[in-house]
Amino acid sequence: MNYKKINNLLGWACGIIATLVYVLTLEKTTSWWDTGEFIASAYKMQIVHQPGAPLFLMLQNIFSNFAFGDNTKIAYWMNVGSAVCSGLTITFLFWTITALAKKVYGRINTSGELSNTAIINIMGSAAVGALAYTFTDTFWFSAVESEVYAMSSLCTAVVFWAILKWDAHADEPQSNKWLLLIAYVMGLSIGVHLLNLLAIPALALVVYFRKTKKVTTSGVVKTLLLGVVILGFVLWGIIQYLIKLAAHFDRIFVNSFGLGFGSGVTFFALLVLGVLIWGLWYSHKKIKPIMNIAFLSVAFIIFGYSSFSMILIRAKANPTLNNSDPDNAFSFLSYLNREQYGDEPLFNGRYFDAKPTDMHETGKVYRKDANRYNVARKKYDYTFDRTTLFPRIYSEKHEAYYRDFLNLPEGTAPTMGDNLKFFFGYQIGHMYSRYFMWNFVGRQNDAQGHGQFTEGNWISGIKPIDNMLVGGQYALPESEKENAGRNTYFFLPLILGILGAVWHFKKDQKDATVVALLFFFTGLAIVLYLNQTPMQPRERDYAFAGSFYAFCIWVGMGALWISDMLSRKMNAKTAAMAATGVSVLCGPVLLASQNWDDHDRSEKFLARDMAKNYLESCAPNAILFTYGDNDTYPLWYVQEVEGFRTDVRVVNLSLLSSDWYMKQMMEKVNDADALPLNIDPEQIKDGVRDVIYYNDFKIPGHVNIEELLAVMLSDDPQAKVQLQSGEFGNLLPTKNMQYKVDKAAVIANKVVPKEWEDVIVDTMQWTYPGNIVSRADLSIMAILANNNWKRPVYFTTTTPEENYIGLGKYLVSEGFALRLMPVASAMEGEMSTPIADVEGTYNNIINKYKWGNIAHSKYLDPDSYRYISIYAGSIFGETAQGLLASGHQAEAKKLVNNAYENLPKRTYLMSEIYGYSSLIDAMYKAGEPSKATEIVKRNLKFIRENMAYYMAIAETKPNLEMRNMRYAMASLQHYQQILTTANQKELLAEANQIFDQYKGLFQTGE
């Protein structure tokens, strides 16, 4: 077999191996975060959150067809789509490494024929690098779920492979076809994710090295600057300004010429097409090849970018999920610009403690009205008394974290030194270097890290080094040793990569520089651009997968360095085989053996089951308010894809402050009726009542919610106040609200259990907690005023209390949702937890709820096991206690046995132990002492070992575990009471011993 056949065969083999691994370990249904939204949107061709991923959705829709009508298998096949994309990425990585290595060996062997030894080295290094990347932590995570990052990685792999193909054939007549392929894939990638564009500067350098006769430093610098300019041209010129110009053309044609919507866009599209045709004709006629290829490349990028037409087409169809409703030029522009997320300052900006000194207008926001575009609102920005170049500590919301991280006392102004300290220490150190080390050195565990020494750090597996880094390694609890997320590689993949980089720079400085540039722009350049604030809602390592891809090229070449060293002592062919074998063990095999257990999602179903539990907690035709991604996106999935409980109207409060989402809530979707808002959409359109400010009119007593709505929705100038901008806006005149209850309607609609009908209140009274009223708050008030208890109203248990608009005392637990009920018992005393409908919750637990296989799954991720404390405490424990209090002993026993069967037989978190208190107490009281004792023993062991671990860390590090230690002590106090009542003397003695050992820490105030 010749080189080409071997290269093709082994490349496909690596890709197939990777794909099989991913298919074996992928989640069989939806997972947490964005996947629920992506799967639901891909299935029905709907609109995801900004800036969209239309090509990804269309391709995933193809994979959904392999379910052959079984809606429960659609998520699985879309996950397979990501696995296939990831496997193809590995194939192209293999071919990329062989192309780079072959160039080196081709120069060494001037005859043009590669020796068998050279082929072994080239193929071995490619297999090592490609398979190492297959099993890296970050890439594997994205490879097994229906998210954009697998397909985005494939786009990056293809364009980098294609530039090397061009490099190999650059002197041939048709070589520029590879550049056009790159341009087209770049355009297509915009419809997946923008990360692929960051490869452009590295590609520019390949062209420079190939075409220039003499490489100079100034030439390299100019080429890099040109690459950055091209990147900027695509990122802003094509992606944003083409649409921006089209939008303003449309405004002129509609507002000034009286033509229809879209006429200006059509004219502008024809104008762009004409310019491209003219450019191609002119460059061909005048024989200007560079100009010709430039125009062709722009044309192919725009052609690929045209996948976004799907967004406009589907938005006009108004699907159920229609994020931002981008059905016209200006809403589409806002959608592409991610305007709902705001901007981070990059070149110049404020310090976090800076005070505004002036406000200035920066632009206008247009909206589409009946027959013209009107200004919805103006954009404003502030000037501040203290600004800096390269701002990194700019977020006023995160001042406390900045000060703590920088050891900056309250009242002390930050300096440029503090700015740089945060940049290098947090943004590079914590938000990039830590992720890099996870993939090539080792990972402490899979808990999200915010700077503690016990969560989310990188480690190596070499105890003395790890002890210096995070402390406590000689007192590791069993829970950490057995943690599937604890992966240790002993620096071996990192060393391989460093050796490979050394080898590459020594043998081919040009290509090594190109790989280094790819590594930089897909890694540190993203850090510079994102300018992330601290306390991110989840880890962001997926954004840097391209950087780890580039490093794995060098991991593969590490085998070549080893081969060179061994060949000095033995036969070259033997050295090549030995080097490959050693590198495979130190790279792919080690990574696979360590990472398999925490990347095998094949037994996890909790995201889907939790979504169903939320919905099953609701009565028919309910309105369910949610808040975060994880209590919304999985619900969208089960409703839109599996058709489960489509009678429930899921309302995300985070989105409800947007005019487009509130308007969508006024329409029926699936089997769920529109929200009973009774508000004219014109009254809440963009720029109208974006927020309503509280202005205390000193009104005595409580005011009916209907009267307050009339004031807030009034267009009477007397009902408005002048704002700082000079414009007039509506106001909230009092925070003391009330709603008169129609008891007959409450009883007729079975809002409360029959035995509670005597405690229905005549009037609900509450105090609004905020100083502004958002559209979301306005919607809740309008529903209360107009619903008259016809439809049940719920909030998920994970919705923050500040989103209840003060109604928290009227929310009754029915499991995973809190139902709005006008009952008197809600007003008795200070309630730390909602009252509960015990019988209703018991029925849900026994007959409806599912638990995602958490009791038997080999691996649970943090997003899954964080629910255990809610299950053990709020769902099982409190319900069992309620049953016992009402004399339902048999039901309580059945419930605690159900809990024992469905909860894991290990402990994950200290807060979980605290949550178990009520369940353990119920187990003893319900006549299941052996099961209760088993859990107590397990939890006491966890406390004992982890407290010793925390103290061991504190010997050399600051004690950052006081919150967990307080949880432990509070849990022990609960257990002492429970064990005393249950007459469990041995366990009580153990609990007392642990408590006495550490109580001094808290008595001294430390």
Side-chain angles (χ1 to χ4, degrees):
M1 295 178 69
N2 60 25
Y3 174 88
K4 184 176 180 180
K5 288 183 178 178
I6 296 171
N7 188 36
N8 288 338
L9 180 64
L10 290 181
W12 285 114
C14 286
I16 290 169
I17 290 169
T19 303
L20 289 174
V21 166
Y22 300 145
V23 169
L24 288 172
T25 58
L26 58 76
E27 204 148 352
K28 291 183 170 61
T29 182
T30 188
S31 49
W32 300 113
W33 300 103
D34 298 349
T35 59
E37 181 194 22
F38 280 126
I39 294 168
S41 297
Y43 176 54
K44 290 187 176 179
M45 286 289 95
Q46 303 185 95
I47 313 301
V48 298
H49 62 274
Q50 301 175 358
L55 181 68
F56 170 80
L57 298 177
M58 289 187 280
L59 292 175
Q60 288 293 78
N61 181 269
I62 294 172
F63 278 94
S64 73
N65 293 301
F66 290 106
F68 294 107
D70 184 349
N71 288 4
T72 62
K73 296 290 193 298
I74 285 170
Y76 171 81
W77 281 106
M78 289 194 188
N79 293 340
V80 169
S82 286
V84 170
C85 288
S86 300
L88 288 170
T89 302
I90 298 305
T91 293
F92 282 103
L93 175 56
F94 181 95
W95 290 335
T96 294
I97 297 172
T98 57
L100 292 168
K102 183 185 177 186
K103 286 177 70 176
V104 173
Y105 282 97
R107 280 194 294 272
I108 294 173
N109 190 345
T110 54
S111 67
E113 290 293 326
L114 291 171
S115 66
N116 288 339
T117 300
I119 292 175
I120 292 171
N121 275 322
I122 293 169
M123 299 302 161
S125 67
V128 169
L131 292 176
Y133 191 59
T134 298
F135 299 111
T136 51
D137 180 66
T138 296
F139 187 68
W140 197 343
F141 184 90
S142 296
V144 293
E145 64 179 15
S146 185
E147 250 276 26
V148 296
Y149 300 103
M151 197 174 291
S152 176
S153 293
L154 175 58
C155 292
T156 301
V158 169
V159 298
F160 200 70
W161 166 81
I163 197 65
L164 296 177
K165 293 293 285 186
W166 171 86
D167 185 34
H169 300 281
D171 296 327
E172 298 173 9
Q174 303 298 320
S175 63
N176 284 345
K177 66 185 179 183
W178 295 107
L179 298 180
L180 297 180
L181 172 65
I182 290 169
Y184 183 51
V185 174
M186 285 279 183
L188 289 173
S189 74
I190 299 169
V192 180
H193 200 282
L194 298 179
L195 286 172
N196 181 51
L197 301 179
L198 295 170
I200 290 175
L203 306 186
L205 205 59
V206 173
V207 176
Y208 170 73
F209 286 147
R210 187 67 175 82
K211 288 297 186 180
T212 191
K213 293 179 179 178
K214 183 180 180 182
V215 175
T216 63
T217 302
S218 64
V220 170
V221 172
K222 289 176 183 177
T223 303
L224 289 182
L225 290 175
L226 178 61
V228 172
V229 168
I230 295 171
L231 170 60
F233 173 73
V234 176
L235 192 58
W236 289 293
I238 293 179
I239 296 176
Q240 292 185 19
Y241 275 91
L242 270 183
I243 306 302
K244 189 171 186 177
L245 287 170
H248 284 287
F249 264 81
D250 208 45
R251 177 177 60 85
I252 293 169
F253 275 57
V254 172
N255 291 8
S256 301
F257 304 156
L259 298 175
F261 291 108
S263 56
V265 173
T266 303
F267 176 82
F268 181 75
L270 292 173
L271 184 63
V272 170
L273 181 62
V275 170
L276 289 173
I277 292 172
W278 175 87
L280 292 171
W281 171 80
Y282 179 83
S283 59
H284 179 73
K285 183 179 180 181
K286 299 295 183 180
I287 314 177
K288 295 180 179 293
I290 294 177
M291 183 180 179
N292 187 262
I293 196 70
F295 270 100
L296 276 171
S297 296
V298 170
F300 272 99
I301 290 172
I302 293 174
F303 184 49
Y305 182 34
S306 67
S307 66
F308 271 88
S309 60
M310 170 263 187
I311 300 291
L312 282 165
I313 294 167
R314 293 299 297 151
K316 287 186 179 295
N318 195 25
T320 306
L321 304 182
N322 187 13
N323 199 301
S324 301
D325 191 19
D327 66 345
N328 65 83
F330 280 99
S331 60
F332 184 56
L333 176 64
S334 172
Y335 182 80
L336 287 176
N337 289 345
R338 296 168 51 93
E339 288 186 3
Q340 77 177 46
Y341 299 113
D343 295 318
E344 291 78 27
L346 295 180
F347 303 109
N348 188 281
R350 59 173 293 184
Y351 284 110
F352 62 79
D353 65 341
K355 300 294 185 286
T357 57
D358 197 10
M359 185 172 68
H360 55 279
E361 184 181 333
T362 58
K364 295 181 177 69
V365 175
Y366 291 91
R367 69 166 180 262
K368 177 188 173 186
D369 283 336
N371 55 10
R372 61 184 286 113
Y373 291 108
N374 289 317
V375 176
R377 62 187 185 279
K378 295 177 180 178
K379 293 181 182 179
Y380 293 95
D381 203 356
Y382 294 93
T383 53
F384 293 92
D385 57 357
R386 296 187 68 242
T387 59
T388 179
L389 295 173
F390 192 61
R392 298 283 124 177
I393 45 175
Y394 59 88
S395 172
E396 186 179 6
K397 292 191 303 183
H398 297 93
E399 177 173 351
Y401 190 96
Y402 290 140
R403 291 193 179 278
D404 182 61
F405 187 88
L406 300 168
N407 294 318
L408 199 63
E410 191 71 34
T412 305
T415 64
M416 175 54 87
D418 295 316
N419 194 48
L420 294 176
K421 181 179 177 182
F422 184 78
F423 169 63
F424 287 108
Y426 183 85
Q427 292 186 332
I428 290 182
H430 188 74
M431 296 300 287
Y432 175 72
S433 298
R434 181 170 62 101
Y435 297 149
F436 176 79
M437 300 298 261
W438 279 2
N439 284 274
F440 302 107
V441 177
R443 185 172 181 176
Q444 182 182 30
N445 51 48
D446 53 7
Q448 184 176 3
H450 290 298
Q452 309 95 313
F453 296 106
T454 58
E455 295 178 349
N457 298 289
W458 70 268
I459 57 169
S460 65
I462 303 172
K463 275 194 175 181
I465 295 174
D466 297 340
N467 201 59
M468 284 177 14
L469 289 169
V470 294
Q473 296 303 294
Y474 296 98
L476 278 179
E478 188 176 332
S479 58
E480 279 300 298
K481 293 176 183 176
E482 295 180 350
N483 190 323
R486 182 180 178 86
N487 301 319
T488 53
Y489 320 136
F490 312 103
F491 289 96
L492 294 175
L494 176 68
I495 292 169
L496 267 181
I498 292 172
L499 294 177
V502 170
W503 183 90
H504 203 197
F505 272 101
K506 181 180 178 182
K507 301 291 186 180
D508 191 335
Q509 193 172 13
K510 293 178 183 178
D511 282 351
T513 303
V514 170
V515 175
L517 203 61
L518 180 67
F519 177 73
F520 170 80
F521 271 95
T522 54
L524 293 177
I526 296 176
V527 175
L528 293 168
Y529 179 75
L530 291 179
N531 197 5
Q532 287 173 328
T533 54
M535 304 300 290
Q536 292 287 312
R538 58 171 167 155
E539 298 286 16
R540 303 296 191 185
D541 55 305
Y542 54 81
F544 307 106
S547 177
F548 310 146
Y549 177 95
F551 191 76
C552 277
I553 294 174
W554 286 333
V555 170
M557 290 182 177
L560 302 178
W561 185 93
I562 295 173
S563 178
D564 281 0
M565 293 300 104
L566 292 178
S567 64
R568 299 176 184 178
K569 303 291 184 181
M570 62 179 71
N571 174 272
K573 189 173 182 179
T574 304
M577 291 188 289
T580 299
V582 169
S583 299
V584 166
L585 291 174
C586 294
V589 171
L590 177 60
L591 289 165
S593 65
Q594 287 290 306
N595 291 345
W596 192 289
D597 53 358
D598 56 310
H599 289 81
D600 184 357
R601 304 198 205 177
S602 60
E603 298 179 349
K604 283 170 65 262
F605 304 96
L606 192 62
R608 180 201 65 191
D609 286 357
M610 269 299 294
K612 291 185 176 182
N613 291 346
Y614 281 129
L615 294 170
E616 286 284 45
S617 298
C618 300
N621 201 31
I623 298 166
L624 175 62
F625 291 109
T626 66
Y627 183 75
D629 292 358
N630 283 341
D631 63 358
T632 302
Y633 293 158
L635 276 70
W636 288 353
Y637 160 75
V638 296
Q639 287 192 322
E640 294 295 303
V641 178
E642 297 194 11
F644 183 83
R645 289 300 307 272
T646 53
D647 62 299
V648 178
R649 189 61 182 265
V650 175
V651 185
N652 182 277
L653 290 168
S654 306
L655 299 176
L656 193 55
S657 293
S658 305
D659 65 303
W660 57 267
Y661 190 72
M662 190 172 174
K663 288 176 185 175
Q664 288 174 13
M665 293 299 106
M666 298 178 187
E667 300 173 5
K668 179 176 180 176
V669 297
N670 300 321
D671 298 317
D673 292 328
L675 298 188
L677 296 176
N678 196 25
I679 296 174
D680 185 343
E682 290 293 305
Q683 293 181 300
I684 49 89
K685 63 185 179 183
D686 192 16
V688 179
R689 295 179 180 86
D690 292 331
V691 293
I692 296 169
Y693 295 94
Y694 167 62
N695 195 333
D696 190 0
F697 274 44
K698 309 296 182 185
I699 301 173
H702 289 74
V703 180
N704 289 331
I705 192 71
E706 296 90 342
E707 297 173 37
L708 293 174
L709 280 169
V711 172
M712 290 187 285
L713 293 171
S714 174
D715 290 323
D716 187 340
Q718 292 186 350
K720 299 183 179 183
V721 292
Q722 191 168 19
L723 307 176
Q724 284 184 342
S725 62
E727 299 171 351
F728 286 84
N730 288 87
L731 57 89
L732 173 67
T734 179
K735 292 185 178 183
N736 297 320
M737 303 178 177
Q738 69 178 23
Y739 176 65
K740 293 182 180 178
V741 178
D742 182 347
K743 289 188 178 182
V746 171
I747 294 170
N749 291 300
K750 299 180 181 179
V751 177
V752 303
K754 191 165 186 64
E755 58 271 23
W756 290 10
E757 290 178 357
D758 293 338
V759 293
I760 298 172
V761 296
D762 294 318
T763 304
M764 296 166 60
Q765 294 183 335
W766 69 95
T767 301
Y768 182 73
N771 290 317
I772 63 169
V773 178
S774 68
R775 288 191 184 90
D777 303 324
L778 192 70
S779 298
I780 297 173
M781 295 176 193
I783 289 169
L784 186 60
N786 296 302
N787 185 40
N788 196 26
W789 309 105
K790 291 176 184 174
R791 295 174 66 182
V793 176
Y794 292 85
F795 292 81
T796 59
T797 54
T798 47
T799 298
E801 189 175 350
E802 56 265 26
N803 295 96
Y804 298 162
I805 71 163
L807 292 169
K809 61 186 176 182
Y810 296 107
L811 295 178
V812 175
S813 174
E814 291 189 354
F816 289 100
L818 308 174
R819 184 170 183 173
L820 186 65
M821 291 187 187
V823 289
S825 56
M827 303 183 68
E828 296 174 359
E830 293 295 324
M831 305 290 292
S832 59
T833 56
I835 60 171
D837 175 6
V838 174
E839 291 186 20
T841 305
Y842 170 78
N843 179 60
N844 286 338
I845 293 171
I846 298 299
N847 299 314
K848 295 182 178 180
Y849 292 161
K850 296 181 179 179
W851 309 100
N853 195 40
I854 59 173
H856 308 291
S857 179
K858 295 173 187 173
Y859 169 69
L860 289 182
D861 60 283
D863 288 315
S864 296
Y865 65 63
R866 70 183 177 90
Y867 284 102
I868 293 173
S869 60
I870 298 176
Y871 297 164
S874 301
I875 305 300
F876 287 116
E878 290 176 13
T879 306
Q881 293 287 356
L883 290 169
L884 289 167
S886 58
H888 294 83
Q889 185 81 10
E891 288 84 354
K893 185 169 185 175
K894 184 175 181 180
L895 187 70
V896 298
N897 282 320
N898 188 292
Y900 180 81
E901 293 299 323
N902 286 296
L903 291 174
K905 302 303 184 286
R906 61 160 293 182
T907 306
Y908 289 89
L909 297 170
M910 196 67 81
S911 57
E912 178 187 320
I913 293 175
Y914 185 85
Y916 262 104
S917 301
S918 58
L919 176 59
I920 292 167
D921 184 47
M923 281 181 164
Y924 280 122
K925 291 175 179 176
E928 291 291 351
S930 60
K931 291 173 177 144
T933 297
E934 178 189 326
I935 297 172
V936 171
K937 286 181 178 179
R938 182 179 79 211
N939 288 349
L940 289 178
K941 179 184 178 184
F942 186 93
I943 293 174
R944 183 174 61 252
E945 292 184 354
N946 278 273
M947 289 291 277
Y949 176 45
Y950 301 151
M951 295 305 294
I953 294 172
E955 291 175 7
T956 57
K957 308 287 182 185
N959 189 348
L960 304 179
E961 296 301 325
M962 291 306 291
R963 182 171 179 271
N964 275 326
M965 293 176 83
R966 288 192 177 94
Y967 262 128
M969 299 303 281
S971 299
L972 288 168
Q973 288 177 311
H974 278 243
Y975 283 29
Q976 286 169 326
Q977 296 170 5
I978 294 166
L979 295 170
T980 299
T981 303
N983 197 29
Q984 297 289 322
K985 295 180 181 179
E986 289 186 17
L987 290 175
L988 177 61
E990 184 178 354
N992 289 339
Q993 185 272 322
I994 301 171
F995 185 82
D996 292 340
Q997 183 177 354
Y998 296 106
K999 66 182 180 181
L1001 291 173
F1002 298 91
Q1003 290 173 347
T1004 58
E1006 292 184 15

